[in-house]
Amino acid sequence: MSVDLTDEQYEKHREAGDILAQVREEAADRVEVGVSHLEVAEYAEDRIRELGGEPAFPVNISIDEEAAHATPAPDDDATFGEEMINLDIGVHVDGWLADTAVTVDLSGNTELAEAPAEALKAALDVVEAGVHTGEIGAEIESVIDGYGYNPVVNLSGHGLGHWEQHTEPNIPNRAVETGVELAAGDVVAIEPFATDGGGKVTEGADEEIFALEREASVRNRDARQALEQIVEEFKTLPFARRWLDTRRAEMALRRLARQNVVHGYPVLKEDDGCLVSQKEHTVIVTEDGCEVTTRPR
């Protein structure tokens, strides 16, 4: 989705990015061996609200072979170990979004953690109006290959819309011939993933993140209460089971999913069980470059 660079929408994207840049650094600083996943996730989500935004999706805390869609359950007692940890955090201001991610490496795999960060820098250097998304992917792939790792090819960056976390265009993590040219005002999240495995992810069994599929008449009281909160507070953006105020939230979500009212996001894991690292920024494309909204100003 494109925004007018003189419009209020532009300022709200920038405000969301400013909040997110601060929260990402504060949350990453809290990741240490023995610290609770739930504590870090709730700290970041509460801090976003304190600073004037709302979480655009639940804080993703992906460990080792996990790549995306992992967030703590309401009673989660997991703590960080000597692992590779990816934090993926989003903020919205009145539905205008920013999305960012960083790897906190406690596993000793320094170069694997560096690879997507350097790939993102290379990608940002070529972003401007008229650049082809395949060229961005080629820059990402080249840097990650240079480190001796593989990009995760079935994950990509994406556009950000109003109340929409994933829109066109896709920003590939490898060189492709298909794609589109970016235009001034496009708002996109660029997110290289690197792995010491084969470079593909598949869905696991766990689901703690959901999103509204459609509104419908629901007979069960708990499910109806959950749906009312989802529509009012989260709209079409992803939410966590632990965010629901209704009793028996797990059962309520199961009922809503059976009626195709909500859908879940299974945790994505690297096919070979190998480590995954990630780095992500949100940018607004300009005629001669881009503005990185999730970088501290």
Side-chain angles (χ1 to χ4, degrees), residues 210-251:
F210 301 83
L212 180 68
E213 186 74 29
R214 64 186 182 91
E215 294 186 49
S217 176
V218 178
R219 300 172 86 180
N220 177 267
R221 178 182 175 184
D222 293 335
R224 187 167 62 249
Q225 182 180 350
L227 180 57
E228 288 171 357
Q229 182 183 359
I230 292 164
V231 171
E232 180 179 350
E233 292 187 27
F234 316 132
K235 297 182 172 58
T236 54
L237 294 175
F239 62 90
R241 175 164 65 99
R242 57 187 162 79
W243 289 1
L244 294 179
D245 297 330
T246 187
R247 60 178 189 167
R248 295 195 286 269
E250 185 173 9
M251 184 176 296

Side-chain angles (χ1 to χ4, degrees), residues 1-2 158-161 164 166-171 180 186-188:
M1 181 169 181
S2 294
H158 51 89
L160 294 167
E164 291 183 276
H166 284 103
T167 66
E168 295 296 330
N170 288 328
I171 312 293
V180 299
D186 283 350
V187 183
V188 296

Side-chain angles (χ1 to χ4, degrees), residues 64 82-84 103 105-115 149 196 275 277:
D64 287 344
E82 294 181 349
E83 303 158 323
M84 181 159 284
T103 293
D105 179 46
L106 304 180
S107 69
N109 289 276
T110 306
E111 290 200 343
L112 181 55
E114 285 178 359
Y149 301 115
D196 55 356
L275 298 176
S277 57

Side-chain angles (χ1 to χ4, degrees), residues 36-39 42 61 70-79 208 241-242:
S36 158
H37 294 193
L38 185 59
E39 177 186 325
E42 290 186 334
I61 299 178
T71 200
D75 55 352
D76 203 313
D77 61 359
T79 59
E208 285 293 335
R241 175 164 65 99
R242 57 187 162 79

Side-chain angles (χ1 to χ4, degrees), residues 253-272:
L253 283 170
R254 197 176 300 127
R255 289 178 181 272
L256 293 174
R258 279 202 300 265
Q259 291 185 239
N260 297 316
V261 174
V262 302
H263 66 270
Y265 292 88
V267 174
L268 300 178
K269 298 184 177 183
E270 207 280 328
D271 272 1
D272 300 321

Side-chain angles (χ1 to χ4, degrees), residues 14-153:
R14 296 184 81 198
E15 183 181 349
D18 286 343
I19 293 168
L20 193 46
Q22 180 173 342
V23 172
R24 180 190 60 236
E25 301 310 307
E26 292 179 7
D29 285 345
R30 288 174 173 264
V31 175
E32 297 178 352
V33 172
V35 172
S36 158
H37 294 193
L38 185 59
E39 177 186 325
V40 170
E42 290 186 334
Y43 170 82
E45 291 160 2
D46 289 343
R47 190 74 173 116
I48 287 166
R49 298 182 185 104
E50 287 174 7
L51 294 172
E54 289 290 336
F57 53 84
V59 170
N60 283 209
I61 299 178
S62 302
I63 306 296
D64 287 344
E65 76 276 10
E66 295 173 343
H69 303 162
T71 200
D75 55 352
D76 203 313
D77 61 359
T79 59
F80 296 112
E82 294 181 349
E83 303 158 323
M84 181 159 284
I85 298 116
N86 297 326
L87 298 179
D88 195 341
I89 311 174
V91 168
H92 78 85
V93 174
D94 296 334
W96 303 102
L97 291 94
D99 189 354
T100 193
V102 65
T103 293
V104 181
D105 179 46
L106 304 180
S107 69
N109 289 276
T110 306
E111 290 200 343
L112 181 55
E114 285 178 359
E118 292 302 312
L120 181 56
K121 289 180 184 177
L124 295 177
D125 283 344
V126 302
V127 172
E128 62 181 357
V131 72
H132 193 277
T133 52
E135 183 180 343
I136 299 172
E139 291 291 329
I140 291 170
E141 183 175 30
S142 175
V143 172
I144 293 174
D145 282 352
Y147 272 85
Y149 301 115
N150 289 315
V152 177
V153 297

